[in-house]
Amino acid sequence: MPPRSYRLWRNVGLSGFDANEMPRRAFRGRWAARNAAYADSMIRTGLRLCEHSALTVFEVPELPPAGSGIVNARAMLPHAISKGHSGRAVYWPVSVLRDVRDYMEWDRAEMLDYGRSRGFYTPSRRSLLVEDPAAPRVRIGGRWVPVARLDAAERRRLLVATADGGWEPAMVWLNQWGLPMTVSGWKQVFADANDRCRARGVGVAATPHMLRHSYAVTTLELLWRGHLQALGEMNEQQRLTYQRVFGDPLNWVRIRLGHRSATTTAIYLHTLQELEMRTRLELVPEGAWEPAGFSEEGWLERSAVAA
């Protein structure tokens, strides 16, 4: 999904804009900011749906200081919630991270207020309690276990102590009742967004995996273009040194996606090849394939062609 198509899908499907990407007064999507922040962070980090949905507040990086010049904030994805235990560094674009932090400060706080008012956060025997948020760990079977080692199901049972002596969920993404969003819940959000686009006559649709795919293709293309440009300006010895230091862009994307084998990541090369050929075909001038002597009126006499 090209960036332009994604923005159209997000604005119309998640934010409730019209087909011209202008706000609609009739739209009543209360949690549009949450949904847009979630989708933006998926397409800009390459996280899987199951990984992104299992994040706790301890795994979302803080915003870098203003004026620091940092454009991507680095955080670690725990092995316990990554597919195939492929824990890895995740780079959050600051612009996206700011929207996620805004959601946590405003929408998520409102969801927490609702959950507290209904008594949803009263600890039970199943609850896993983080008594000190500065050292996120829980007691299981008589021993302390870091939150980073908990799987997705265990994380849904987490409650974190608050400054006022209460408790609240540790999961980042909550539903309207202040409870952790499920994977199926997010799939429904995407399905509703696709329905909304269809109703507005907008011919775009998206799935969580499509956003991850788009991240991979776009990142790989940008890295390869920069890589080839840099190599083209070097001599042979400099190229060898450069490749030893910076490696292969395909391998970098493989690590970001959590693939064990570069063979899996290489699938995205076929997409790049297809895009490249489509781009080249679109550059062919109109009528370039028409044989000499042919016009919109039909075949011309040889004398007319010569003239």
Side-chain angles (χ1 to χ4, degrees):
M1 174 179 273
R4 177 69 186 87
S5 297
Y6 167 72
R7 289 193 297 270
L8 179 62
W9 174 82
R10 179 198 62 197
N11 292 341
V12 176
L14 295 179
S15 300
F17 290 6
D18 61 23
N20 296 317
E21 297 185 72
M22 297 297 292
R24 285 192 304 120
R25 292 183 179 180
F27 180 63
R28 294 293 181 268
R30 190 175 180 184
W31 309 117
R34 176 202 63 182
N35 298 341
Y38 184 89
D40 282 351
S41 50
M42 282 199 77
I43 200 170
R44 297 295 301 279
T45 63
L47 287 171
R48 296 179 176 92
L49 175 62
C50 60
E51 296 168 341
H52 199 16
S53 302
L55 291 176
T56 68
V57 293
F58 307 114
E59 284 119 21
V60 177
E62 295 290 338
L63 277 171
S68 65
I70 298 174
V71 295
N72 290 286
R74 187 176 184 270
M76 293 303 299
L77 179 71
H79 291 281
I81 60 171
S82 56
K83 184 177 179 181
H85 291 273
S86 56
R88 57 197 183 274
V90 177
Y91 292 89
W92 294 74
V94 170
S95 59
V96 171
L97 182 58
R98 185 176 294 110
D99 289 341
V100 173
R101 282 289 173 183
D102 284 346
Y103 149 74
M104 294 173 68
E105 182 177 357
W106 300 105
D107 287 2
R108 187 174 183 274
E110 184 177 341
M111 297 166 182
L112 290 173
D113 287 342
Y114 182 90
R116 289 192 192 96
S117 70
R118 296 299 188 274
F120 291 160
Y121 309 144
T122 302
S124 67
R125 295 180 61 183
R126 293 191 69 257
S127 301
L128 297 176
L129 305 179
V130 179
E131 299 174 8
D132 181 6
R137 59 180 184 170
V138 296
R139 202 160 186 83
I140 300 178
R143 62 189 181 90
W144 290 105
V145 179
V147 168
R149 295 184 182 177
L150 302 180
D151 62 25
E154 292 169 328
R155 286 161 174 255
R156 295 179 61 81
R157 298 160 53 194
L158 283 172
L159 291 176
V160 182
T162 59
D164 59 2
W167 301 91
E168 66 183 37
M171 301 288 272
V172 173
W173 304 104
L174 305 180
N175 60 25
Q176 61 266 40
W177 299 290
L179 299 174
M181 279 284 286
T182 62
V183 168
S184 60
W186 280 117
K187 288 181 178 179
Q188 187 60 52
V189 168
F190 276 71
D192 291 344
N194 292 337
D195 289 343
R196 212 168 279 125
C197 286
R198 195 177 302 112
R200 310 311 304 176
V202 175
V204 292
T207 64
H209 184 71
M210 188 183 295
L211 300 192
R212 175 174 159 85
H213 180 93
S214 299
Y215 164 84
V217 172
T218 302
T219 304
L220 191 56
E221 179 186 16
L222 292 174
L223 289 177
W224 266 116
R225 290 188 185 280
H227 192 73
L228 294 176
Q229 181 178 356
L231 291 177
E233 299 169 354
M234 301 176 185
N235 59 40
E236 184 175 353
Q237 185 58 46
Q238 289 172 328
R239 291 191 192 102
L240 290 174
T241 303
Y242 182 88
Q243 289 177 307
R244 289 195 191 102
V245 173
F246 295 103
D248 182 356
L250 184 66
N251 189 56
W252 193 91
V253 173
R254 177 192 69 79
I255 296 172
R256 298 287 76 76
L257 293 175
H259 290 161
R260 290 188 176 183
S261 170
T263 303
T264 305
T265 315
I267 294 173
Y268 298 108
L269 287 176
H270 299 302
T271 303
L272 282 180
Q273 292 167 355
E274 177 70 16
L275 289 173
E276 181 70 16
M277 292 309 300
R278 285 174 57 184
T279 301
R280 289 178 180 273
L281 286 175
E282 289 173 2
L283 293 176
V284 176
E286 185 68 25
W289 298 107
E290 302 294 353
F294 185 80
S295 71
E296 293 182 358
E297 290 75 24
W299 290 97
L300 301 178
E301 296 295 334
R302 184 177 298 275
S303 58
V305 174

